[in-house]
Amino acid sequence: MAMVLGFHGYSQGNTGYWQQEVDYTMKVAMDVETYRYTGDQTLVYTNNSPDDLTRVYYHMYFNAFQPGSEMDIRLQSISDPDKRMVVDGKSRIAALAPNEIGFLKPLSLTQDGKAVSYNLEGTVLVVSLDHPIVSGASSTFVMSFEGQVPLQIRRSGRDNKEGVALSMSQWYPKMAEYDFEGWHADPYIAREFHGVWGNFDVSITLDKRYTIGGTGYLQNPDEIGHGYEAPGTKIKKAKGKTLTWHFKAPMVHDFMWAADPDYVHDTLPLENGPTLHFFYKNKPEILENWKNLQPKTAEAMRFFSENIGPYPYKQYSVVQGGDGGMEYAMSTLITGERTFASLVGVMIHEMAHSWFQHLLATNEAKHEWMDEGFTSFISSLCMNAVMNQQKPNPFEGAYNSYYALVSSGKEQPQATHADRYEYNSAYGNSAYSKGEVFLAQLGYVMGQDKLMTTLQKYFEDFKFKHPTPNDLKRTAEKVSGMELDWYLTDWTQTTNTIDYGIKAVSEKDGGSEIVLDRIGLMPMPIDILIVYNDGTQETFYIPLQMMRGEKENPYGNVSRTVLPDWPWAFPTYTFKIDKSFENIKAIVLDPSQLMADIQIENNVWLPNEQ
Ligand SMILES: [Zn+2]
């Protein structure tokens, strides 16, 4: 089932885009008593790069869950550690016993039939090739490996706090990505991933009482049963203690599975859409929420497909497991003992990642704001619709978190690698909140309709690829006709802030003169609303000169005057209106509050306060 999903080759215009491909065939056997597993992996690596490769790297993520690992030491040295990973202020990794740690190690490895030398450096396996993989060629790697599933500390693991037996993410030897920037063999320290697109064929043998959910289409449903069988099919009782589940997943860049003997498995086929699968523990106190979650999941699937682009796979699974919420190909792991609103909220966020990470696979370690921020943006819109919240500004929470980040003094540029933030809290506010504001505010800059058109075109042009910040910006430029380099640069590569203000309003030749000032370094176009004492109102728009374009009137029912451009370097800007000073009831800069102005007090002018 290769390449059925509309991946249109490797050429991307004159940018010289290419991407590698890996096709995995894996057979693994899990011992559910010891949490040990063994596997055989055949990996066909196709080098579409212009370069000849003499090394490759595998991620061996489970080695992070050992005392003394980089993840452990980072946990012990950061001042605001993830609460899930510490107990009484101490690293939970440091306290793992030998039978509780995670590990993943190769037992043998060959390239095209010849043994290769390798070195396991923590969570990264460095492989010196027997012979180079020249540009355009393929090599086949065969690895036998063994692993142990750690007690759940972060994302994956055994026996999560809600009693799910196996949350199997980051569990297999995973080829690191080599792209136009070179290798990305990041050690697993805290967060964020980057993977190679390809096809997966995975067979999992384990205790037959366990139900598996996750990435991939089950190939032998009528043999397995467990809720996968066609309605009315009689399943033959398996001989022996185990079942072998055979999954295939075309064009994905990760493969997750979870298993538990007490999973309830519901399915919900959608018209013109995928079949939704739900896996959750058979606990009376959560059943109602998990049943009610199902129509909301269908609504969210429709919302994202209509607003971003059609979901291309035939299946999406919401699986109870993990330690909060984490996105995977065709699936998510979420904790399930929550209020209904929280359960819907986490499902929506993780499902939105199907678009912003599992279809638009940005390198989220380098551009975490594109992954978490864009996901948060579309989730806020989706929550507003699906939960009927009717918030006038669904992004308000994100703006407030961004303002808190600025005033904390702990902000680092969004271009910081996800592992290199001094504070976890600053990472969170930067990636999620400031990332969400990036898009919400881009809607202010270019107009909301143009923003949504941009997202749709961006999806269409870059799905099944690894888009970069510039790809999003160029798409926005093409849709709007504006120049937006200043926006991308200031917002994501610096900590410059926006602060415009109303400096003075005075009587002038029977009319009024208004002086604005630019206090912050970051440029912005300005919307101004003036309300008069007779109840009428009008708006003014000052385009930013360097953006070489103007948005459409966002306040369609209120008349708008487009004023001359504001060249950024000028600290003040003066304009006149015909109405006299006494007629003015209020002047407001950006009444939408979508411009992230860090000082809101100077955005409103009222005559009686002067
Ligand atoms: Zn997320």
Side-chain angles (χ1 to χ4, degrees), residues 527-545:
D527 283 340
I528 303 145
L529 172 73
I530 304 188
V531 183
Y532 299 107
N533 286 325
D534 63 6
T536 59
Q537 46 188 17
E538 63 177 324
T539 65
F540 295 85
Y541 173 51
I542 311 174
L544 176 69
Q545 191 168 68

Side-chain angles (χ1 to χ4, degrees), residues 192 325-327 349-350 353 356 364 371-373 375-376 379 427 432:
E192 303 304 354
M326 183 66 192
E327 70 275 14
H349 178 94
E350 305 310 338
H353 274 300
F356 297 112
E364 52 176 1
D371 161 54
E372 295 303 348
T375 292
S376 299
S379 301
Y427 158 79
Y432 290 74

